[in-house]
Amino acid sequence: SSELTQDPAVSVALGQTVRITCQGDSLRSYYATWYQQKPGQAPILVIYGRDIRPSGIPDRFSGSGSGNTASLTITGAQAEDEADYYCNSRDSSGNPWVLGGGTKLTVL
Amino acid sequence: EVQLVQSRAEVKKPGESLKISCKASGYIFTSYWIAWVRQMPGKGLEWMGIIYPGDSDTRYSPSFQGQVTISADKSISTAYLQWSSLKASDTAMYYCARHIQYDSGWYGDYWGRGTLVTVPS
């Protein structure tokens, strides 16, 4: 079972802004890490820390958090952003297996 | 260039043992954690465990403790995930990923392409 709660599915019109959320107690103390996974591919890291994008991730991706909720925002969603998005955090022992169940993003 | 090259797909029978590998290159293997992540067919990601090859510090998710063994061979920059007795429910894609720990958590910045393990029932 997932200790972080994500909406199973979200849709957005092409070029519009979408926020994918992740809720859980660990997020009151620790940042979420966000991964994108397209069908048949390995996950890739899109956001970690307060709002850090690895090299190669477009700046339309951003992260934020408040209370027990972390958010991944895509400003001006593109067709290639259609994917599953997973949030991940650490537990109180410092281990990385606090997980969300994933959100399937559809770009219309 | 950082690369994690995983071993090929496997088809095994229930009860058989298996060891899959993840060979790292392009960085200092002993300075970064390696995590193993399971993805069952049509399901989400599950972090199984993590190892620091520098000192072999190994941690397991409670869901996988006792079910698998994670190890690493520094001499050949390779991490391993092994089962002593496979079950049909072990059928999944298994990813290895380089992980970095910081004060507020972890992130996996490089991932292998995955090893598909199939255990027909």
Side-chain angles (χ1 to χ4, degrees):
Chain A
S1 63
S2 303
E3 297 180 50
L4 299 176
T5 301
Q6 296 183 245
D7 292 329
V10 171
S11 62
V12 61
L14 184 67
Q16 296 303 300
T17 296
V18 61
R19 178 174 292 182
I20 298 169
T21 61
C22 174
Q23 290 186 301
D25 286 342
S26 68
L27 301 178
R28 296 186 184 280
S29 304
Y30 310 114
Y31 294 121
T33 298
W34 291 93
Y35 298 94
Q36 176 195 71
Q37 187 182 34
K38 297 180 180 179
Q41 297 184 18
I44 65 168
L45 176 68
V46 291
I47 291 286
Y48 68 96
R50 183 181 297 274
D51 178 21
I52 302 173
R53 281 177 290 106
S55 173
I57 300 300
D59 61 6
R60 63 179 179 271
F61 289 88
S62 63
S64 61
S66 178
N68 74 335
T69 301
S71 300
L72 174 70
T73 300
I74 307 174
T75 303
Q78 302 300 303
E80 60 264 31
D81 300 334
E82 188 163 286
D84 293 326
Y85 291 86
Y86 295 92
C87 61
N88 171 230
S89 182
R90 53 164 281 183
D91 64 13
S92 57
S93 298
N95 298 312
W97 28 81
V98 177
L99 302 169
T103 296
K104 182 177 182 60
L105 176 67
T106 300
V107 180
L108 304 172
Chain B
E1 178 193 9
V2 174
Q3 284 192 310
L4 297 173
V5 178
Q6 296 191 233
S7 49
R8 61 175 176 82
E10 301 272 3
V11 180
K12 306 292 281 187
K13 296 178 181 178
E16 291 187 325
S17 62
L18 176 64
K19 191 174 190 178
I20 62 175
S21 65
C22 170
K23 182 168 178 59
S25 62
Y27 72 97
I28 300 172
F29 181 65
T30 52
S31 296
Y32 294 83
W33 295 82
I34 292 280
W36 285 96
V37 179
R38 182 176 80 173
Q39 188 167 38
M40 299 176 76
K43 301 299 184 182
L45 305 175
E46 301 173 273
W47 267 248
M48 305 173 70
I50 196 159
I51 186 167
Y52 189 76
D55 60 7
S56 295
D57 182 7
T58 307
R59 308 174 190 181
Y60 295 92
S61 163
S63 299
F64 292 92
Q65 179 79 48
Q67 307 304 307
V68 295
T69 301
I70 293 170
S71 61
D73 186 336
K74 292 187 288 189
S75 69
I76 54 172
S77 299
T78 300
Y80 300 97
L81 176 66
Q82 67 180 82
W83 296 259
S84 59
S85 181
L86 286 161
K87 303 184 285 288
S89 58
D90 293 317
T91 294
M93 181 71 81
Y94 293 88
Y95 295 101
C96 64
R98 189 179 86 163
H99 270 58
I100 294 170
Q101 185 181 26
Y102 66 111
D103 57 354
S104 191
W106 299 78
Y107 58 96
D109 59 351
Y110 288 92
W111 291 66
R113 292 189 176 186
T115 295
L116 180 63
V117 174
T118 304
V119 187
S121 55

